[in-house]
Amino acid sequence: MDDTSSDDPSSANVAVSQTATATSVGGTFQDLETGHGARPSATQPARKQGLPHLDGLRGVAAFMVYMAHWMSYWYDCDNGFCYGFGYHDSNRLFSTLPFVRVFFTGGNPAVAIFFVLSGYVLSISPLRMMLNDEPFPKIRESLVSASIRRPLRLFIPPICMSLLMALALQLPFGLAPWLSWPEAQSNIMTELGTWLTETFIVLNPFVDSGPFGRWFRYDPPTWTIAVEFKGSIVVFFLIGVFSLARPKLRPYLLFGTGLLFAVIYEWALSMFVAGVLLALNDLASLDTAFLKRLTPTTRTVTFHALFFIGWYFLSQPTGMREIELALATPGWNLLTSLTPSNYLEYWRFYEIPGAALLVYGVLRISWLQQFLASRPLRYLGRVSFSFYLVHIPFLWTVGDRICRVLGRYKFAEEPQHWYDGVLAIPDVGPVGLTTGFVISQAIILPMNLALGEVGTKMLDQPSVVAGRWVVAKLRGGKS
């Protein structure tokens, strides 16, 4: 996940001096100091202290990941939810409509939002120092400190979460989950050895542990954490190097670097750089020269248009590298055909501008900021990192059993149990909103959020404290 939370989807409160330690699913914006961006002007709406709306956006993104995985668990692709609206002129599901689909199967676009938010938050503090003409040694010290805190902030929560899952696979008396994958090892010591090996691999930024790489058997969504770490280091490095360049050249250097990453299929790094550009734009008001030429109404229309264009780009039908899925969907035929051939995950190409434009719109549209800054969404953003990490282990264990009680048996090869279907209910209605699915989520979602709260307090926030403690010790100061 990203640096926008206290880390989804996660979130510990981080002061502005600590913003570089937040992760794509962790670290809240609530603690950022006033003046996070440039002073409000005639072309830019006033920003609330701490940018709580970005906390809310991170929470929404974490929920998108959660929903995508539960949709895949509850429904089969034969129901049509995997396809785009109008796919081969037949699919007409509400949950597959453009814009709507991201709330049902939006795991991939959520990751893109996480990475852009991470680039934004990680860069705010050092960029402000750079724009204030702070001496390079001071900027370098800040970046080194952030680089030391970052892995602790990112790695401690998933290490602990995945360890709990490894131990759960060895529970006695039938308490262990029934999974065809990952299959439990023969004994707890072998399980722990496998967990240790797999954890070293999944946290290696040079190994692909994503959907098309080497899956992490104890918590597959953890693959984004290594990408977060890699992107963070690249952000710190670029800011350090470009701080030595002439101020007028910096935006062009960043844009060129982001474009280069996009061309060579380093799509995640391109998203991180897009976040840095958005942060530099806010701090230096780069868009003011253009926007001040527009009338207030035209500016408002422009901001909304860019936001919805980004949202549409994030609505592209995705699959298992089956580009025909998008080519055969009305509204995506031409755009998909223009995707560079080196984009095996073809949807990543449009997710780069999609996530960047959506986040830019959020930074400029006041009513949207008010909605995202609502207490429920800010809370979801605060717990998003742990919520993100815990939702698959919970699905495999307690969630699966709740669904079995309600009559949903996803894995036919599993043994039958006495409680299967005890409270079975008709699963009727539109896909994504069927009665069984909605009722199951009314039970499961609060439990996931409760575990996210526990993880935030016991793992997420302490990881931030641990990072500060290590930096203080290395400086020879008191913890």
Side-chain angles (χ1 to χ4, degrees):
M1 303 204 52
D2 74 356
D3 250 327
T4 64
S5 61
S6 54
D7 148 317
D8 221 348
S10 254
S11 72
N13 294 337
V14 187
V16 87
S17 61
Q18 309 298 334
T19 53
T21 67
T23 75
S24 65
V25 287
T28 66
F29 290 115
Q30 296 175 344
D31 297 311
L32 299 183
E33 66 182 0
T34 305
H36 183 311
R39 291 184 178 181
S41 68
T43 62
Q44 297 176 337
R47 298 177 177 81
K48 296 180 180 180
Q49 179 177 0
L51 297 181
H53 44 282
L54 296 188
D55 262 335
L57 177 59
R58 186 187 64 258
V60 170
F63 181 74
M64 288 162 56
V65 174
Y66 169 91
M67 278 293 293
H69 290 147
W70 270 105
M71 287 283 292
S72 297
Y73 170 86
W74 190 271
Y75 302 104
D76 297 318
C77 274
D78 292 343
N79 292 332
F81 83 94
C82 296
Y83 310 114
F85 188 84
Y87 176 69
H88 282 308
D89 297 322
S90 61
N91 195 45
R92 292 293 186 270
L93 295 179
F94 170 77
S95 58
T96 64
L97 280 167
F99 304 107
V100 173
R101 68 173 295 113
V102 300
F103 299 109
F104 292 92
T105 55
N108 289 318
V111 169
I113 292 171
F114 283 143
F115 291 163
V116 172
L117 288 176
S118 287
Y120 186 99
V121 176
L122 287 169
S123 60
I124 280 291
S125 182
L127 283 177
R128 183 182 289 110
M129 296 174 66
M130 182 176 70
L131 293 175
N132 289 338
D133 293 324
E134 298 280 358
F136 179 73
K138 188 173 181 179
I139 297 175
R140 180 183 59 196
E141 180 183 2
S142 173
L143 294 173
V144 170
S145 173
S147 300
I148 294 172
R149 298 193 307 267
R150 188 61 168 163
L152 296 172
R153 177 71 187 82
L154 286 172
F155 295 159
I156 290 177
I159 287 174
C160 295
M161 290 284 192
S162 59
L163 175 59
L164 292 175
M165 184 62 206
L167 295 175
L169 290 173
Q170 295 294 322
L171 289 174
F173 311 119
L175 296 176
W178 309 288
L179 301 171
S180 57
W181 185 91
E183 184 177 356
Q185 300 299 309
S186 58
N187 58 67
I188 191 169
M189 295 308 297
T190 303
E191 194 76 68
L192 290 175
T194 302
W195 166 79
L196 187 62
T197 301
E198 292 288 319
T199 300
F200 273 115
I201 293 173
V202 76
L203 297 182
N204 183 343
F206 301 104
V207 175
D208 180 10
S209 297
F212 305 102
R214 181 191 177 100
W215 279 33
F216 183 45
R217 58 187 283 118
Y218 298 106
D219 195 358
T222 300
W223 73 270
T224 61
I225 304 305
V227 181
E228 279 284 343
F229 178 65
K230 180 180 178 180
S232 303
I233 298 304
V234 168
V235 166
F236 298 149
F237 175 78
L238 291 178
I239 293 176
V241 171
F242 293 162
S243 66
L244 301 175
R246 295 169 57 185
K248 291 185 178 180
L249 290 178
R250 292 166 183 165
Y252 300 102
L253 291 173
L254 280 171
F255 181 81
T257 302
L259 184 61
L260 175 62
F261 283 141
V263 168
I264 64 175
Y265 193 50
E266 286 287 352
W267 53 269
L269 296 182
S270 184
M271 293 171 184
F272 273 87
V273 175
V276 179
L277 270 170
L278 290 176
L280 182 60
N281 177 62
D282 273 3
L283 290 170
S285 299
L286 299 178
D287 57 355
T288 299
F290 169 74
L291 294 175
K292 69 181 182 181
R293 303 174 187 173
L294 307 177
T295 66
T297 300
T298 304
R299 285 198 297 269
T300 299
V301 171
T302 300
F303 295 148
H304 283 76
L306 293 176
F307 172 78
F308 282 101
I309 290 171
W311 189 355
Y312 182 78
F313 281 164
L314 295 177
S315 301
Q316 184 180 22
T318 62
M320 297 299 286
R321 292 180 175 172
E322 302 148 344
I323 196 168
E324 187 267 346
L325 190 68
L327 287 171
T329 299
W332 275 101
N333 318 70
L334 176 61
L335 287 173
T336 303
S337 68
L338 299 176
T339 303
S341 59
N342 63 325
Y343 270 72
L344 300 178
E345 298 174 42
Y346 61 89
W347 55 90
R348 304 297 188 189
F349 181 69
Y350 286 106
E351 283 180 353
I352 298 171
L357 290 174
L358 183 138
V359 173
Y360 177 75
V362 168
L363 291 167
R364 294 293 180 270
I365 301 173
S366 58
W367 70 263
L368 192 55
Q369 293 177 8
Q370 293 173 5
F371 170 72
L372 292 171
S374 62
R375 290 187 64 182
L377 293 184
R378 282 190 288 116
Y379 174 79
L380 186 57
R382 188 178 71 81
V383 302
S384 59
F385 191 22
S386 293
F387 177 74
Y388 173 85
L389 291 174
V390 78
H391 79 278
I392 288 296
F394 187 84
L395 184 158
W396 283 345
T397 53
V398 179
D400 173 71
R401 299 186 187 194
I402 291 174
C403 292
R404 295 179 74 91
V405 169
L406 296 176
R408 178 58 177 166
Y409 316 122
K410 180 65 174 181
F411 305 110
E413 68 274 12
E414 294 175 359
Q416 297 299 302
H417 304 278
W418 66 267
Y419 49 79
D420 290 351
V422 168
L423 299 176
I425 54 177
D427 193 33
V428 296
V431 174
L433 297 172
T434 54
T435 52
F437 182 68
V438 171
I439 291 174
S440 70
Q441 288 306 308
I443 300 170
I444 292 168
L445 179 58
M447 299 173 72
N448 265 235
L449 289 172
L451 288 175
E453 176 71 25
V454 172
T456 297
K457 291 182 176 179
M458 298 188 65
L459 298 175
D460 193 21
Q461 293 172 350
S463 70
V464 176
V465 174
R468 296 172 183 168
W469 181 86
V470 169
V471 169
K473 288 299 181 182
L474 291 175
R475 287 174 173 169
K478 297 181 180 180
S479 60

